[in-house]
Amino acid sequence: MEGAREVTRAATIHAVAALAGVSPSTVSRALNSPGLVNAVTRQRVLESAEQLGYQPNRAARSLVLGRTSNLGLIVPDIANPFFTPFIKAVQAQVRQASYSLFLADTDEDVEVEVEAARAMAKQVDGMILCAPRMPGNRLRSIAVHTPVVIANRQSRTAPAVTMDIGPGVRQAVAHVHALGHRRCAFLSGPRGSWSNQQRLRFFTAACQAQGVELIVLGPFEPVFGGGYRGADEAVAAGVTAIFAYNDLVALGVMSRLNDRGIRVPGEMSVLGFDDIPMASMMNPPLTTVMMPITAVARASASMLLTLLGGNGPPRPAAQELAARLVIRSTTESAARPTGL
Amino acid sequence: MEGAREVTRAATIHAVAALAGVSPSTVSRALNSPGLVNAVTRQRVLESAEQLGYQPNRAARSLVLGRTSNLGLIVPDIANPFFTPFIKAVQAQVRQASYSLFLADTDEDVEVEVEAARAMAKQVDGMILCAPRMPGNRLRSIAVHTPVVIANRQSRTAPAVTMDIGPGVRQAVAHVHALGHRRCAFLSGPRGSWSNQQRLRFFTAACQAQGVELIVLGPFEPVFGGGYRGADEAVAAGVTAIFAYNDLVALGVMSRLNDRGIRVPGEMSVLGFDDIPMASMMNPPLTTVMMPITAVARASASMLLTLLGGNGPPRPAAQELAARLVIRSTTESAARPTGL
DNA sequence: CTGAAAGCGCTAACAG
DNA sequence: CTGTTAGCGCTTTCAG
């Protein structure tokens, strides 16, 4: 009979101690504070441990130490390409600090998010909540018990790392203005979304300040298909440049424009938002507002690590990183308005 | 002073016991085996627990129970859209069985993978290795200590869930043959890759069996850019249909074809492989061989759960799921060869 | 039905 | 430098 349970019961510290002819505490010390034990003894212990394939039991360790050496990360959607660089960066940094990472995805659902955060809180030393959708009080109820860093969302409850889209938006508007565009469309995203409101607000302000007429269209779903529809409306509105809510939408726009035989950037300039990995790979490469998501990830991770380290500033200050325009090949001098 | 450490020390089972006026063991029973305790006592305990916001310490629980209630999942690359449905499905199933899930990504690096698996093994009750790259002996050394299920790869070491691409490939070839195509290109992927070899082998066999001439091109990188280059070679080869190594490559092909003014599917038919979420969203929607990745995920998860359950068959058998063709809009009757 | 006692595997004083 | 002792918080016999 074979089956589910392990063949060999894992070796305990006692077994190692016995084999090395020392006490368990010496084994513990040899492994955790090599300096405190005689070199030759330590060598013997190490060999015994090696021979038995000894792996400290994490539960026992956590229990006595009061820490798990695990960190958690919760993101709205793993499938969203906007978050993947974030996940990767956090993962790398966390691993480097020799923590393990619990990663959960909430499918953009608040209930799932709250539940995931609660469940996770019990088994990590701290966690990063990326763009959490839950209300402030729920956030607080979690942050009270567990060190938390919030990314992509303002908070008074916990230290937060956010992005300032202002510079990027202003650069984008200045860029199209410089190319001679005077009438542009903004393809808006989900009405309820905070980032849509923010993007809309900044674009409106920047266009007004720089003398560009802004036609707000939408809302459109923040995916490929949304841009597909949006493209037609923008063309009908007689604009010469399109600010898409995000890169996915921009992708849809370009696809649709292409179907209709409208050249990008020849007849229509298109700008995205986010700078997802695909943006630079598409054809032509997309001019877009780069959100410094990787930098945010790194900052969040360091912040959490600092928070846990106990050293450093007692409570890391909030931090804000600036978005900026990345000019690639979908923007060009304004031509005569298309459509009609 | 405030700072990193928790404000309130988490309530222990003792505190709850004291408040309810019972012993810790009664609290434990009230929570875990409600049947064994007097209804009114239980009620009192539950209220005390609620009042104190009592959350059992997982480390202590794991220590005595010998199980963590955590499961692990390791995938080659979180950013690869092929794996996202897999991750989501596993996550859902695991959560439903009230386990938490550790998710790790190896960036396709064998060393990272081995390391991640080792680290994870110590703190989960079992894990799913998705398309592991590590050699069989490393795999074995892990599977010996931890219940493991392998997805997307054959194995004699552990129960595995794999996909049979045969039916899908044969359907694809039959499909283009029925449309009158007699000369097709296969844009191959990474030379070393097992799935590339497999796909190539099956396409070669199916084409030969069905009387379709197959021009093998490449290798190309398995991403958008690869297809971009591949498209030109395929056109130069004078084929009327292109089998792309995967959907990303197909995407690149279509983009390039479009740039060159070659209509899909009018002048060239294009077929993908995998059926990533984007395949149905692109324009026109891609005809592709659907890999039943979600089904594999579900099967893997159930398998692992069974393995851990101790009940059911002592060792779940390996399982193989069939791929099949999904016909969308990038395939049409053969026209005259393009190019030259 | 409930309490007392023992112990999961490990670390951290505290003596030697 | 090393062994002994005492728990970390929880579950589970074993008595009552």
Side-chain angles (χ1 to χ4, degrees):
Chain A
M1 56 127 274
E2 41 157 22
R5 53 191 160 310
E6 289 112 81
V7 185
T8 347
R9 239 183 140 40
T12 75
I13 200 171
H14 274 91
V16 177
L19 183 62
V22 297
S23 77
S25 19
T26 299
V27 175
S28 175
R29 277 187 290 251
L31 263 26
N32 303 314
S33 331
L36 299 182
V37 54
N38 180 294
V40 37
T41 314
R42 168 157 36 97
Q43 189 52 35
R44 197 147 30 93
V45 170
L46 261 29
E47 280 164 12
S48 310
E50 167 76 15
Q51 187 180 331
L52 266 40
Y54 171 69
Q55 298 282 87
N57 177 315
R58 284 186 72 109
R61 207 148 198 281
S62 298
L63 183 55
V64 59
L65 255 24
R67 37 170 273 145
T68 63
S69 292
N70 290 151
L71 297 181
L73 168 60
I74 298 184
V75 298
D77 184 9
I78 296 185
N80 186 332
F82 178 64
F83 294 120
T84 41
F86 187 97
I87 297 172
K88 296 240 179 199
V90 168
Q91 202 167 48
Q93 194 134 344
V94 157
R95 238 205 282 274
Q96 202 181 331
S98 54
Y99 277 94
S100 292
L101 185 72
F102 263 110
L103 174 57
D105 155 289
T106 67
D107 277 315
E108 309 270 359
D109 182 312
V110 174
E111 287 315 311
V112 173
E113 182 181 271
V114 170
E115 198 36 58
R118 271 197 202 308
M120 193 177 268
K122 298 192 299 195
Q123 45 197 325
V124 298
D125 297 335
M127 55 191 188
I128 296 175
L129 267 26
C130 183
R133 264 66 164 158
M134 70 180 87
N137 54 336
R138 315 296 238 108
L139 211 52
R140 185 163 313 108
S141 79
I142 290 166
V144 172
H145 301 113
T146 312
V148 164
V149 167
I150 297 180
N152 286 338
R153 165 169 165 183
Q154 234 99 330
S155 167
R156 248 175 285 88
T157 302
V161 184
T162 52
M163 296 183 272
D164 177 11
I165 66 169
V169 170
R170 286 189 291 273
Q171 288 164 12
V173 174
H175 174 59
V176 299
H177 184 273
L179 290 175
H181 299 271
R182 291 296 178 273
R183 183 177 163 84
C184 304
F186 176 67
L187 268 33
S188 62
R191 195 183 292 291
S193 147
W194 179 80
S195 36
N196 180 55
Q197 288 159 13
Q198 190 197 32
R199 288 172 192 194
L200 178 55
R201 185 156 43 83
F202 276 86
F203 269 112
T204 305
C207 283
Q208 186 157 12
Q210 302 187 37
V212 170
E213 184 183 3
L214 186 71
I215 316 293
V216 177
L217 267 17
F220 301 101
E221 297 147 280
V223 293
F224 189 90
Y228 207 76
R229 291 196 302 117
D232 289 335
E233 294 195 25
V235 170
V239 303
T240 59
I242 299 175
F243 298 118
Y245 167 68
N246 68 17
D247 290 345
L248 253 18
V249 171
L251 239 166
V253 167
M254 286 172 61
S255 170
R256 178 59 180 160
L257 255 23
N258 185 73
D259 292 348
R260 294 187 49 179
I262 300 171
R263 308 292 301 178
V264 173
E267 299 169 78
M268 181 74 84
S269 285
V270 177
L271 293 88
F273 212 111
D274 287 348
D275 194 25
I276 59 177
M278 200 189 305
S280 59
M281 288 167 24
M282 52 201 264
N283 172 251
L286 184 68
T287 293
T288 189
V289 176
M290 184 210 71
M291 292 289 261
I293 187 80
T294 297
V296 169
R298 282 200 263 265
S300 308
S302 328
M303 207 171 249
L304 184 57
L305 259 8
T306 305
L307 209 55
L308 297 176
N311 50 15
R315 195 210 209 206
Q319 208 175 326
E320 183 161 52
L321 275 20
R324 62 179 180 75
L325 181 69
V326 178
I327 299 175
R328 288 199 269 251
S329 313
T330 55
T331 42
E332 209 181 77
S333 297
R336 46 145 188 61
T338 331
L340 314 183
Chain B
M1 54 134 277
E2 40 157 23
R5 57 189 155 314
E6 288 115 81
V7 184
T8 347
R9 233 179 148 42
T12 74
I13 201 171
H14 274 92
V16 177
L19 182 62
V22 296
S23 77
S25 15
T26 299
V27 175
S28 174
R29 277 188 289 251
L31 265 25
N32 303 314
S33 332
L36 299 181
V37 55
N38 181 294
V40 36
T41 313
R42 168 159 34 100
Q43 190 51 36
R44 196 147 32 91
V45 170
L46 260 30
E47 280 163 11
S48 310
E50 168 75 15
Q51 187 179 332
L52 265 41
Y54 171 68
Q55 299 282 85
N57 178 313
R58 283 184 71 110
R61 206 147 198 283
S62 298
L63 183 54
V64 58
L65 256 24
R67 34 171 275 146
T68 61
S69 292
N70 290 151
L71 261 30
L73 169 60
I74 299 183
V75 297
D77 184 7
I78 296 184
N80 185 333
F82 178 64
F83 294 120
T84 42
F86 186 97
I87 297 172
K88 297 242 179 197
V90 168
Q91 203 166 46
Q93 194 133 343
V94 157
R95 237 205 282 275
Q96 201 181 332
S98 54
Y99 278 93
S100 293
L101 186 72
F102 264 109
L103 175 56
D105 158 290
T106 67
D107 277 315
E108 309 270 359
D109 182 312
V110 174
E111 287 315 312
V112 173
E113 181 180 272
V114 170
E115 199 35 60
R118 272 197 201 306
M120 193 176 269
K122 297 192 298 199
Q123 46 195 325
V124 297
D125 297 335
M127 56 193 189
I128 296 175
L129 268 26
C130 183
R133 263 64 164 159
M134 71 181 85
N137 55 336
R138 312 300 236 109
L139 211 52
R140 185 162 313 111
S141 79
I142 290 166
V144 172
H145 300 113
T146 312
V148 164
V149 167
I150 298 180
N152 286 339
R153 167 169 164 183
Q154 233 99 333
S155 167
R156 248 176 284 88
T157 302
V161 184
T162 52
M163 295 183 272
D164 176 12
I165 65 170
V169 170
R170 285 188 292 271
Q171 288 163 14
V173 174
H175 175 60
V176 301
H177 183 271
L179 290 175
H181 298 272
R182 292 295 177 275
R183 185 177 162 83
C184 306
F186 175 67
L187 269 34
S188 62
R191 194 182 294 290
S193 148
W194 178 80
S195 38
N196 180 54
Q197 287 160 12
Q198 192 196 28
R199 290 173 190 193
L200 178 55
R201 186 155 42 83
F202 276 86
F203 269 112
T204 305
C207 283
Q208 184 156 14
Q210 304 187 34
V212 170
E213 186 184 1
L214 186 71
I215 316 294
V216 177
L217 268 18
F220 302 101
E221 296 146 281
V223 294
F224 190 91
Y228 207 76
R229 290 196 302 116
D232 290 335
E233 294 195 24
V235 169
V239 303
T240 59
I242 299 175
F243 298 117
Y245 168 68
N246 68 16
D247 290 346
L248 254 19
V249 171
L251 239 166
V253 167
M254 285 171 60
S255 170
R256 177 58 180 161
L257 254 21
N258 186 72
D259 292 348
R260 294 186 48 178
I262 300 172
R263 310 291 299 179
V264 172
E267 299 169 81
M268 181 74 83
S269 287
V270 177
L271 293 89
F273 212 112
D274 287 347
D275 194 25
I276 60 177
M278 199 190 303
S280 59
M281 291 166 24
M282 51 201 265
N283 176 250
L286 184 68
T287 293
T288 190
V289 175
M290 184 209 71
M291 291 290 261
I293 186 83
T294 296
V296 169
R298 281 201 263 266
S300 308
S302 325
M303 209 170 246
L304 184 57
L305 258 9
T306 303
L307 210 56
L308 297 176
N311 50 15
R315 195 207 204 199
Q319 208 175 327
E320 182 160 53
L321 275 21
R324 62 180 180 74
L325 180 69
V326 177
I327 299 175
R328 289 198 270 252
S329 312
T330 54
T331 41
E332 210 180 76
S333 297
R336 45 148 190 60
T338 330
L340 313 186

